[in-house]
Amino acid sequence: LKKKGLKVISAEDFLMPSNDNILFDADDPNSEKVRLLKNAAAEKIKIIVDSICNNQGKIRGQNFFFKILSHATGILMKLYRRWLHYHKFYVDEKCLPECRFCEQICPVNNIKKVATQKIIFNRTCILCARCINCCPTRAIQYGKSQKKHRFKDPDYCPPILR
């Protein structure tokens, strides 16, 4: 951010529900666990906004341990993405001919629909799982299992990016 001329005035972390259904099973968006996590995050956001408005924003992760952990996580994600099996993404017969929703919501422009049942998943995926979780027909799959739970929060509508 500094390279872009932006100044960070506050940074916090949140416990949030898991939407990772590529490697694991996503949390049920209607569960009590998810409700409690969302409520706690909403309360924390109010506190953070107040602190920023009062020029008391704070930046977490400034100690040595968090800097090392942050760098290690970044390296591991780069390695994981490098060896991610992109050929395991596919669409099944539920894919609608005119639908391009996954293509429109992908934050890194990784998805291209080239035919009715043909979607190309490029190598720029950041593993956000937005395409899998938000597909209106659950047509996007990864790997062999189609029984994994999808995390579609009823309070969230992904932005159309293109």
Side-chain angles (χ1 to χ4, degrees):
L1 293 174
K2 286 181 185 178
K3 291 177 184 177
K4 293 185 177 187
L6 301 172
K7 181 182 177 187
V8 177
I9 57 173
S10 186
E12 292 282 345
D13 57 354
F14 293 86
L15 283 176
M16 295 300 287
S18 173
N19 71 343
D20 184 358
N21 52 12
I22 293 174
L23 295 177
F24 307 105
D25 201 12
D27 288 331
D28 178 355
N30 299 312
S31 70
E32 180 68 8
K33 173 188 172 186
V34 169
R35 188 186 68 73
L36 292 172
L37 286 171
K38 287 172 56 178
N39 288 345
E43 289 302 315
K44 190 171 182 179
I45 288 170
K46 289 177 188 174
I47 293 167
I48 294 167
V49 169
D50 286 343
S51 70
I52 292 171
C53 290
N54 294 318
N55 292 321
Q56 297 173 346
K58 58 184 174 182
I59 299 174
R60 294 203 182 269
Q62 290 298 303
N63 66 38
F64 182 73
F65 172 74
F66 282 109
K67 286 182 180 181
I68 295 294
L69 183 62
S70 176
H71 287 294
T73 302
I75 291 168
L76 288 173
M77 279 304 293
K78 284 179 185 174
L79 290 173
Y80 178 75
R81 284 195 351 235
R82 184 175 180 181
W83 286 292
L84 177 69
H85 299 281
Y86 291 92
H87 63 276
K88 288 188 177 184
F89 281 102
Y90 66 97
V91 293
D92 64 18
E93 70 283 350
K94 295 186 297 277
C95 185
L96 300 173
E98 65 285 346
C99 185
R100 299 181 92 82
F101 191 62
C102 58
E103 189 177 36
Q104 296 170 333
I105 64 170
C106 179
V108 292
N109 202 21
N110 185 62
I111 303 170
K112 297 283 182 245
K113 187 164 186 178
V114 294
T116 300
Q117 300 262 215
K118 176 89 170 142
I119 292 180
I120 296 173
F121 296 90
N122 295 307
R123 297 187 60 86
T124 56
C125 180
I126 58 171
L127 304 175
C128 69
R130 190 180 290 178
C131 60
I132 293 174
N133 289 320
C134 295
C135 178
T137 61
R138 297 177 58 124
I140 298 178
Q141 308 295 334
Y142 181 82
K144 295 178 183 176
S145 175
Q146 295 184 11
K147 296 181 181 184
K148 289 185 176 181
H149 186 76
R150 310 293 175 109
F151 186 86
K152 179 65 175 89
D153 189 322
D155 298 330
Y156 174 72
C157 181
I160 302 299
L161 302 172
R162 48 196 75 45

